[in-house]
């Protein structure tokens, strides 16, 4: 469904993605894991067309998406830190995005309920806490019933109840056949959610396969230890 072929990307002299080739398995949750600065967000932004790779191809249902944009209607995206117009209320932001996407909101009431966002709906974005802005962003990623859901550190900054409910929702979406890509620094969360792991170090893929296989290969019982066993001493989690 989503395929990257020999993707390279540099910012100035610094090569961030080094010959990245991968296939995202449809109907599964794929976690992109790696130390800070390893290129996770750059991969996500390349898939979204927000970063243009210097070399290589990105295919969506076997068609190149470089410089295309219509394919994005099938994607819901929750960035690491969203920014919305400060003077709009939450409801106004939802309506604005619905107008821009030319798509009806779908299941929004349930999302608002599970994230406990009801009390915030008529407040202006600038008055919202960071966690509540994250909830708005999570709603937007999920509320247009997209086939592909891309979540960059979805639970960072969320309160425990919202975090648990969002994770439940992510699994529910996978079980309904959606393709999900997420990043997280929380190993227990990745272990709980993911089917597949893409492990990046310094812009290179060092593991691409199932979570189960990674744990088995390493001979470790836990993902955290499996990852640690795969990393050279000079790499560390920040
Ligand atoms: P991760 O998501 O794994 O933390 P990123 O993909 O955000 O890593 O970034 C990888 C590297 O690319 C970092 O060193 C970051 O500073 C650099 N980088 C990302 N975006 C830009 C940009 N727009 N301009 C310059 N450098 C960038």
């Amino acid at each position: 469904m989503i395929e990257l072929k020999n993707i390279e990307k540099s910012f100035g002299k610094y090569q961030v993605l080094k010959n990245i080739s991968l296939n995202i398995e449809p109907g599964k949750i794929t976690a992109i894991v790696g130390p800070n600065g390893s290129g996770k967000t750059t991969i996500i932004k390349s898939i979204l067309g927000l970063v243009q790779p210097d070399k290589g191809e990105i295919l969506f249902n076997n068609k190149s998406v470089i410089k295309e944009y219509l394919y994005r209607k099938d994607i819901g995206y929750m960035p690491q830190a969203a920014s919305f117009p400060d003077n709009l209320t939450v409801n106004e932001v939802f309506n604005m995005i619905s107008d821009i996407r030319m798509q009806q909101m779908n299941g929004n009431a349930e999302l608002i309920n599970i994230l406990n966002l009801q009390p915030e709906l008529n407040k202006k974005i600038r008055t919202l806490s960071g966690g509540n802005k994250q909830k708005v962003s999570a709603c937007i990623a999920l509320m247009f019933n997209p086939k592909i859901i891309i979540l960059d550190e979805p639970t960072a900054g969320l309160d425990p109840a919202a975090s648990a409910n969002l994770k439940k929702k992510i699994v529910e979406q996978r079980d309904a056949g959606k393709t999900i890509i997420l990043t997280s620094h929380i190993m227990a969360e990745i272990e709980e959610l993911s089917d597949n792991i893409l492990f990046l170090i310094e812009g290179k893929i060092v593991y691409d396969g199932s979570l189960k296989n990674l744990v088995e290969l390493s001979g470790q019982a836990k993902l955290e230890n499996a990852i640690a066993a795969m990393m050279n001493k000079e790499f560390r989690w920040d």
Side-chain angles (χ1 to χ4, degrees):
M1 184 179 243
I2 302 173
E3 198 180 351
L4 272 63
K5 280 188 179 169
N6 310 108
I7 291 293
E8 307 220 338
K9 178 68 189 175
S10 297
F11 290 111
K13 283 189 186 154
Y14 184 56
Q15 195 176 10
V16 176
L17 299 181
K18 298 169 184 160
N19 201 23
I20 297 282
S21 294
L22 59 92
N23 240 314
I24 301 289
E25 202 178 345
K28 293 277 161 74
I29 299 178
T30 299
I32 308 182
V33 182
N36 287 336
S38 55
K40 301 181 295 292
T41 301
T42 306
I43 288 188
I44 286 178
K45 287 190 173 171
S46 301
I47 293 172
L48 291 162
L50 299 174
V51 160
Q52 292 297 328
D54 303 322
K55 281 194 195 147
E57 268 192 306
I58 298 177
L59 304 173
F60 212 82
N61 295 330
N62 299 317
K63 276 195 231 140
S64 170
V65 301
I66 306 276
K67 302 210 163 106
E68 293 288 329
Y69 61 93
L70 281 175
Y71 74 99
R72 294 188 208 160
K73 70 177 176 7
D74 290 328
I75 304 179
Y77 172 46
M78 180 180 179
Q80 231 173 67
S83 81
F84 303 111
D86 263 357
N87 271 328
L88 297 186
T89 65
V90 173
N91 263 334
E92 285 167 344
V93 167
F94 287 160
N95 288 324
M96 178 188 78
I97 308 263
S98 174
D99 287 347
I100 292 171
R101 290 185 70 117
M102 294 191 281
Q103 289 172 334
Q104 296 292 318
M105 294 178 217
N106 188 314
N108 202 27
E110 191 211 342
L111 287 164
I112 288 166
N113 185 36
I114 63 166
L115 294 172
N116 195 22
L117 206 48
Q118 193 69 36
E120 312 299 320
L121 291 179
N122 293 311
K123 291 187 190 163
K124 291 195 191 289
I125 293 289
R126 72 175 139 75
T127 70
L128 259 52
S129 68
N132 281 331
K133 279 189 204 165
Q134 282 293 96
K135 293 180 188 179
V136 171
S137 188
C139 275
I140 290 171
L142 296 168
M143 74 185 184
F144 299 104
N145 200 23
K147 293 191 184 103
I148 294 155
I149 301 164
I150 302 181
L151 308 159
D152 203 347
E153 298 197 32
T155 61
L158 292 188
D159 58 69
S163 171
N165 285 338
L166 180 59
K167 284 191 277 187
K168 221 189 275 172
K169 190 79 199 165
I170 292 169
V171 171
E172 232 177 83
Q173 293 286 305
R174 188 270 318 272
D175 293 345
K178 306 296 180 68
T179 302
I180 297 163
I181 302 171
L182 57 84
T183 72
S184 171
H185 283 293
I186 308 165
M187 290 300 110
E189 179 171 297
I190 290 174
E191 219 157 6
E192 184 185 342
L193 295 176
S194 318
D195 302 299
N196 294 326
I197 303 274
L198 260 174
F199 184 18
L200 279 184
I201 292 180
E202 293 191 344
K204 283 194 205 142
I205 296 177
V206 293
Y207 179 81
D208 176 5
S210 73
L211 169 76
K212 197 167 161 267
N213 195 37
L214 172 60
V215 170
E216 274 171 18
L217 270 181
S218 70
Q220 305 285 333
K222 288 191 149 239
L223 176 64
E224 192 161 31
N225 298 336
I227 297 261
M230 279 191 71
M231 287 170 82
N232 295 332
K233 275 192 212 126
E234 64 264 33
F235 297 115
R236 62 183 180 82
W237 296 94
D238 289 313

